[in-house]
Amino acid sequence: MQPSLRAIASWNSFRMMTSIANGTQHLFRINNAKQILRKNSDDAKSVRIYTRTGDKGKTSTFTGERRLKSDAIFHALGNVDELSSCLGIALSHCTELTDIKTELTDIQRHLQDVASNIATPLSTARDAHLKRTEFSDVHVDRLESLIDNHSSNLPPLTSFILPSGGTAASTLHMARAICRRCERSVVPLVTTNDTAPVVLRYINRLSDYLFTVARRVAAIQGHSETTYTKT
């Protein structure tokens, strides 16, 4: 495993200090620095997934606040995580749809950025936090372009459709439903000025995209959609 950034910084500092030394003392300091690097590398190998810091029901935002895991921020983060996981399932059923796979993978990456923004409440964020977690309206524009492109290749809707159209399309409909729940959980965060409005716009547009791409996938894979009829 590669040494940690802190270890590398320590090593670079050592090199600068030892450049003015000579002879035995010079070699001793270099060997000592190498031992520090090896120790940090060994420490990195032993990092555990669990930290035990959340065992009492609290966890941290990106700004360092400790909040209950039942806080609205973590409800929203859980929904974003669930949505991305559902897209992962959909991807496994779109193996032959290269362009759509690329779109969905990009969306998973954007959802990671959405989560970073949500985890940085504006009420306690410093400028450095905001700069690292800023989310751009460019992603909203991109979704609208994708929606328009897929819609142009679909017959117009003349009635309500039920979630259907094969495994991939049905999974994308499920992702759409999760996305709507995600949207509902973000609304309170935006109204209390804890989350940027652009995040809400993105999630709202994403549900429209997921509905459209589900229909598109069904059409490409040759599956018919089930229309709603009142019984």
Side-chain angles (χ1 to χ4, degrees):
M1 181 176 289
Q2 301 252 349
S4 67
L5 290 175
R6 183 177 294 176
I8 292 171
S10 299
W11 170 235
N12 287 335
S13 297
F14 246 124
R15 290 182 64 186
M16 290 176 65
M17 288 189 294
T18 56
S19 64
I20 62 173
N22 55 49
T24 305
Q25 186 178 24
H26 180 69
L27 293 173
F28 172 79
R29 288 182 177 178
I30 289 178
N31 287 333
N32 188 42
K34 288 180 178 178
Q35 289 175 4
I36 292 173
L37 282 175
R38 283 196 295 271
K39 182 180 184 302
N40 281 320
S41 181
D42 291 340
D43 289 344
K45 291 178 183 177
S46 64
V47 171
R48 294 189 176 107
I49 286 294
Y50 57 88
T51 63
R52 301 192 179 101
T53 57
D55 288 353
K56 294 183 178 180
K58 285 189 175 184
T59 189
S60 299
T61 65
F62 181 57
T63 58
E65 274 187 279
R66 297 290 291 176
R67 296 195 184 193
L68 289 171
K69 292 183 179 182
S70 57
D71 188 272
I73 282 179
F74 301 116
H75 274 299
L77 288 175
N79 289 330
V80 173
D81 187 22
E82 186 179 348
L83 173 55
S84 184
S85 299
C86 190
L87 291 179
I89 298 173
L91 275 164
S92 69
H93 297 294
C94 296
T95 52
E96 77 284 10
L97 307 177
T98 305
D99 290 344
I100 289 175
K101 281 182 65 177
T102 299
E103 293 172 15
L104 294 176
T105 301
D106 284 344
I107 287 168
Q108 283 185 306
R109 294 190 179 104
H110 296 154
L111 286 173
Q112 196 72 23
D113 296 333
V114 163
S116 296
N117 189 284
I118 292 171
T120 310
L122 298 177
S123 57
T124 57
R126 298 190 299 273
D127 287 343
H129 294 133
L130 297 175
K131 186 175 181 180
R132 289 185 63 181
T133 61
E134 183 180 10
F135 193 77
S136 174
D137 254 320
V138 169
H139 303 311
V140 180
D141 296 338
R142 171 62 176 159
L143 284 178
E144 291 178 351
S145 176
L146 292 173
I147 292 168
D148 292 342
N149 178 59
H150 289 306
S151 295
S152 67
N153 291 287
L154 289 168
L157 279 172
T158 57
S159 61
F160 290 110
I161 61 169
L162 302 179
S164 55
T167 303
S170 296
T171 306
L172 287 166
H173 279 297
M174 182 182 295
R176 172 186 54 78
I178 296 171
C179 188
R180 286 300 190 192
R181 170 155 44 87
C182 184
E183 180 183 11
R184 292 191 296 273
S185 66
V186 169
V187 168
L189 300 178
V190 173
T191 55
T192 57
N193 296 318
D194 261 335
T195 298
V198 63
V199 168
L200 186 58
R201 288 195 295 274
Y202 179 82
I203 295 173
N204 184 31
R205 210 70 79 254
L206 179 55
S207 62
D208 294 331
Y209 164 84
L210 291 170
F211 176 79
T212 306
V213 81
R215 296 191 64 219
R216 180 73 174 131
V217 167
I220 293 173
Q221 293 183 334
H223 298 291
S224 60
E225 296 175 316
T226 303
T227 56
Y228 163 77
T229 53
K230 187 175 178 63
T231 57

